[in-house]
Amino acid sequence: MTPADWPAVEKIYAQGISDGEATFEVATPSWEAFDAGKLPQMRIVAVDGGDAVVGWVAASAVSSRPAYRGVVEHSVYIDRAARGQGIGRLLLDAFIGAADTAGVWTIQSSIFPDNTASLRLHEAAGFRVVGHRERIARAAVGPHAGEWRDTILIERRSADG
């Protein structure tokens, strides 16, 4: 992912926000904020045959403490028009490879329970459910605005972790 990819990445991110099934965020960040918060070696885009960005994956460190240097939280977003075509799996596989190369031993994320496509994707890629957080926050936008939402905490451990 490069700064030139940002307009497409931001558009896909905005779709995830408005769909209400991917994040508690209410607006996309600026490129500068996104760039500052995501680990450069684990930001990947998927492009179609015409070089249009159709999905992305990125991760943030969960803590600045040295003990957690190998633990990241990731997100995967796919353009609405490209969902169901295996792009999520390609991105997740590439991301896992990049994380392994970077010395990451735990990849984690929180997924809304009704986002069954994401839960299936992650399970197929070797993630496991490690917890269920009830009423973690209220959704502010999208179809669930004002509702308390649960999340499923998932993780994937490397062979070294």
Side-chain angles (χ1 to χ4, degrees):
M1 182 186 301
T2 68
D5 297 321
W6 179 245
V9 168
E10 183 180 29
K11 177 188 132 243
I12 295 166
Y13 198 175
Q15 290 175 356
I17 292 169
S18 68
D19 289 348
E21 298 303 336
T23 183
F24 284 113
E25 296 295 334
V26 298
T28 59
S30 67
W31 165 252
E32 293 75 20
F34 185 90
D35 185 44
K38 303 297 182 194
L39 300 167
Q41 67 273 34
M42 288 179 268
R43 296 188 297 213
I44 303 168
V45 295
V47 295
D48 67 9
D51 293 329
V53 174
V54 294
W56 61 271
V57 59
S60 302
V62 299
S63 175
S64 61
R65 295 173 57 196
Y68 295 99
R69 70 188 177 283
V71 183
V72 300
E73 183 170 1
H74 81 293
S75 299
V76 180
Y77 286 79
I78 308 300
D79 187 278
R80 284 183 189 132
R83 293 177 188 160
Q85 299 175 24
I87 295 165
R89 183 58 191 262
L90 291 172
L91 278 169
L92 198 51
D93 287 347
F95 174 78
I96 291 167
D100 286 348
T101 298
V104 169
W105 59 77
T106 301
I107 303 169
Q108 67 182 37
S109 192
S110 292
I111 301 174
F112 294 126
D114 44 346
N115 191 344
T116 56
S118 186
L119 289 168
R120 282 193 311 268
L121 167 68
H122 284 87
E123 180 182 15
F127 286 76
R128 66 187 181 106
V129 172
V130 294
H132 181 151
R133 296 170 17 169
E134 296 178 355
R135 298 171 49 92
I136 192 69
R138 282 188 199 264
V141 298
H144 300 284
E147 295 176 17
W148 284 99
R149 302 291 307 271
D150 296 352
T151 60
I152 305 294
L153 182 61
I154 61 166
E155 73 173 17
R156 181 187 182 279
R157 302 296 300 260
S158 73
D160 297 334

